[in-house]
Amino acid sequence: MSDPFSPTSLDSDDTIYSADSIEFCPFQSHSHLFACGTYQLAKDESEDEPAPTLEPADTDSSSDDDEPVKVDKPMLRLGRLLVYAIEGEADDTLKLNNLESIETAAILDMKWSHQLINGNPTLGVADASGDLSLYQLKSASNELEIVTKYQTNTSSKLALSLDWSNRVQTSEQPQIAVSLSNGDITILDLDPTSSTLTESLTWHAHDFEAWIVGWNYHDTNVLYTGADDSRLKGWDRRMDCSYATFTSRAHQMGVCSIQSNPHDEHTLATGSYDENVLIWDTRSMRQPLSTTGTGGGVWRLKWHPARKDVLLAGSMHNGFHVINYDEGWSTGTIGSSFMDHASLAYGTDWSYAPTKGNELPLVASCSFYDHLLHLCLSQHEAAKAAARAKAKASITDTVELILWLKTEQTRITREVRQLHSQGYQTTALHSYWRILEKQIRALELELIVEQSANLALD
């Protein structure tokens, strides 16, 4: 396998808190915007209170042992919801501009609805307080405004992930699935007019943290869940959700990423702490179609917005990778890797900004402990840029060689004339001249091909 492309960072920013989630807005009007979620543990700085005590009846009330006893307090989980704009025209001038920072509880997952809600782009945010919050872009200032918040459980449980049901099929009443740290899955119905969320179904799916939930975008009666129990499970809401329709142990460690392929009805991708990406045919879930190792533990997977056979993976301890699949899904090849982050590679997403040939050039990524957010070219644009540079270099080399050969022809013609005037035979020089002529014609034809290829790239 050839070495993957290693695109360079176009720009970066310090998110202050640890960054773990990135989501580009999927609507063309706001495709230059993306949201970044952060998560930070902090010490509770409020005054320590003495632990409550019961004083025995025979205890002398004048005892000196009456100092307040400090108790350990749980760490606070703080977060910020950041909004960024990508500004600039050419690749070398693109910059990240932080437009907004909203204080929240620690954010564990975010996703945009791919359907306008009440006419506005809407972002769902799952956080460490167990809340699901919906934010909307309502003004020309590109600022997010919270429109509703739903407490999915008590604050002792975390909302770990969410997914919208309307990625492929629009709905008058979209649904949001939320996975919780106690292993429960909750389905919420959204009334777009009033922006209210109503719980329609909750069931206990796993006995460990349910890291991820994902709809089958082509049949939203079906959901998939993954958890720290190393189980991938399927659920059909038309049946009793007390029992999974299937349970797979193909992953050797916790399942933390699931995404249905929006461009291919029967394809599902899953990722795990076991460092593997599995591709499934949803019509037969007995065993995966392929296994691709990325290293590091696969935290998030994102299908290319315009191509069914390209997948983006955030691989925690081993950077971010673009995986290309063959037609039968039997082989996945890493075509591009971004390794500039110095800590856990968590959040990543494709830009939805339209470009030539349906290629989506930008990928944003963020990591946990180094608090850095990066913007870089995706594999396809990096490959095209490299191809353009190679084509231009080849054209330059060919032109220079043609010019040298024609100069050599001119020199030989001059020598032949001089030798003829002195009565010498010039058969060898004539033969050499004809060889040069054939080389020039071949190179001129090659130059036409190279220039045509270069125009095609542009």
Side-chain angles (χ1 to χ4, degrees):
M1 183 182 74
S2 59
D3 291 335
F5 289 103
S6 299
T8 58
S9 175
L10 301 176
D11 196 20
S12 63
D13 191 44
D14 188 342
T15 58
I16 311 301
Y17 288 173
S18 298
D20 61 7
S21 183
I22 282 180
E23 296 289 326
F24 272 95
C25 186
F27 300 100
Q28 186 172 347
S29 59
H30 295 85
S31 59
H32 63 297
L33 301 180
F34 67 87
C36 177
T38 65
Y39 183 119
Q40 191 75 22
L41 289 175
K43 183 179 179 181
D44 188 349
E45 299 295 342
S46 61
E47 293 184 5
D48 292 317
E49 298 179 0
T53 58
L54 293 176
E55 187 175 330
D58 60 349
T59 299
D60 184 358
S61 61
S62 61
S63 170
D64 292 332
D65 191 18
D66 57 0
E67 289 293 322
V69 178
K70 292 185 178 181
V71 294
D72 292 332
K73 294 186 177 182
M75 298 289 282
L76 298 176
R77 296 185 177 95
L78 307 178
R80 285 177 184 150
L81 175 56
L82 308 174
V83 179
Y84 283 87
I86 299 174
E87 300 178 349
E89 298 298 329
D91 293 343
D92 57 353
T93 64
L94 293 176
K95 298 295 180 184
L96 294 167
N97 182 15
N98 184 201
L99 302 179
E100 189 175 12
S101 178
I102 303 170
E103 297 293 329
T104 66
I107 294 173
L108 290 123
D109 194 22
M110 306 184 301
K111 285 186 178 68
W112 292 92
S113 166
H114 280 249
Q115 170 186 350
L116 292 174
I117 305 299
N118 201 19
N120 300 301
T122 302
L123 178 70
V125 177
D127 66 38
S129 64
D131 290 345
L132 175 70
S133 302
L134 299 185
Y135 294 82
Q136 290 186 341
L137 290 166
K138 287 189 172 182
S139 65
S141 62
N142 293 324
E143 292 183 353
L144 284 173
E145 176 184 334
I146 190 166
V147 292
T148 190
K149 180 178 286 191
Y150 187 87
Q151 180 73 45
T152 59
N153 54 81
T154 64
S155 59
S156 62
K157 303 178 190 119
L158 286 65
L160 298 180
S161 75
L162 76 142
D163 200 17
W164 293 80
S165 65
N166 57 5
R167 175 68 185 266
V168 171
Q169 303 173 355
T170 59
S171 173
E172 294 182 359
Q173 191 176 60
Q175 294 186 305
I176 304 174
V178 183
S179 68
L180 307 174
S181 59
N182 69 335
D184 285 355
I185 304 297
T186 293
I187 307 298
L188 302 172
D189 296 332
L190 173 62
D191 182 343
T193 304
S194 63
S195 297
T196 56
L197 289 164
T198 304
E199 183 178 322
S200 64
L201 181 63
T202 293
W203 73 96
H204 190 66
H206 299 269
D207 291 331
F208 295 84
E209 288 90 343
W211 288 117
I212 193 72
V213 61
W215 295 93
N216 181 328
Y217 296 136
H218 305 275
D219 181 1
T220 54
N221 290 303
V222 177
L223 298 95
Y224 308 101
T225 61
D228 248 359
D229 56 8
S230 305
R231 304 292 188 267
L232 169 65
K233 295 185 178 183
W235 310 88
D236 191 325
R237 293 184 298 155
R238 294 165 296 190
M239 303 171 66
D240 184 358
C241 282
S242 298
Y243 302 95
T245 56
F246 76 87
T247 299
S248 171
R249 302 185 183 184
H251 282 295
Q252 302 302 308
M253 298 179 70
V255 180
C256 45
S257 187
I258 293 171
Q259 195 174 53
S260 172
N261 191 331
H263 317 296
D264 191 275
E265 181 179 0
H266 304 299
T267 310
L268 178 75
T270 62
S272 164
Y273 292 127
D274 65 10
E275 306 185 354
N276 290 317
V277 177
L278 304 186
I279 300 296
W280 304 82
D281 185 328
T282 57
R283 295 166 295 185
S284 177
M285 298 288 290
R286 292 185 177 182
Q287 60 183 14
L289 299 175
S290 66
T291 300
T292 303
T294 66
V298 185
W299 179 250
R300 281 295 177 263
L301 295 170
K302 300 287 183 67
W303 287 106
H304 191 293
R307 297 183 55 176
K308 73 174 186 178
D309 56 348
V310 180
L311 187 63
L312 178 62
S315 300
M316 292 193 284
H317 294 283
N318 197 42
F320 299 93
H321 308 282
V322 176
I323 307 172
N324 302 314
Y325 287 93
D326 63 3
E327 187 175 353
W329 303 103
S330 61
T331 303
T333 304
I334 294 177
S336 180
S337 297
F338 184 71
M339 308 295 289
D340 284 10
H341 288 287
S343 71
L344 294 177
Y346 271 2
T348 187
D349 199 14
W350 305 91
S351 163
Y352 290 81
T355 59
K356 294 180 181 179
N358 284 329
E359 295 296 356
L360 301 162
L362 296 175
V363 170
S365 63
C366 63
S367 58
F368 207 65
Y369 295 117
D370 65 5
H371 308 165
L372 279 180
L373 170 70
H374 279 282
L375 181 70
C376 65
L377 291 173
S378 71
Q379 168 198 344
H380 307 292
E381 287 297 315
K384 283 165 65 177
R388 287 191 193 100
K390 184 177 180 181
K392 289 177 180 177
S394 180
I395 289 170
T396 300
D397 290 344
T398 303
V399 169
E400 289 179 352
L401 183 53
I402 290 173
L403 290 174
W404 183 86
L405 290 172
K406 288 186 174 181
T407 302
E408 186 73 355
Q409 273 190 318
T410 302
R411 184 186 65 79
I412 292 171
T413 301
R414 187 169 57 249
E415 286 188 14
V416 166
R417 287 173 180 171
Q418 291 174 351
L419 290 171
H420 272 182
S421 65
Q422 298 172 13
Y424 290 100
Q425 292 293 323
T426 57
T427 305
L429 285 174
H430 272 294
S431 297
Y432 183 37
W433 191 96
R434 284 193 290 269
I435 291 172
L436 293 177
E437 183 66 18
K438 289 181 180 179
Q439 290 179 338
I440 289 170
R441 288 178 180 175
L443 286 169
E444 286 177 337
L445 180 60
E446 183 179 320
L447 181 60
I448 292 171
V449 173
E450 289 174 343
Q451 288 174 330
S452 298
N454 188 53
L455 287 172
L457 283 170
D458 291 335

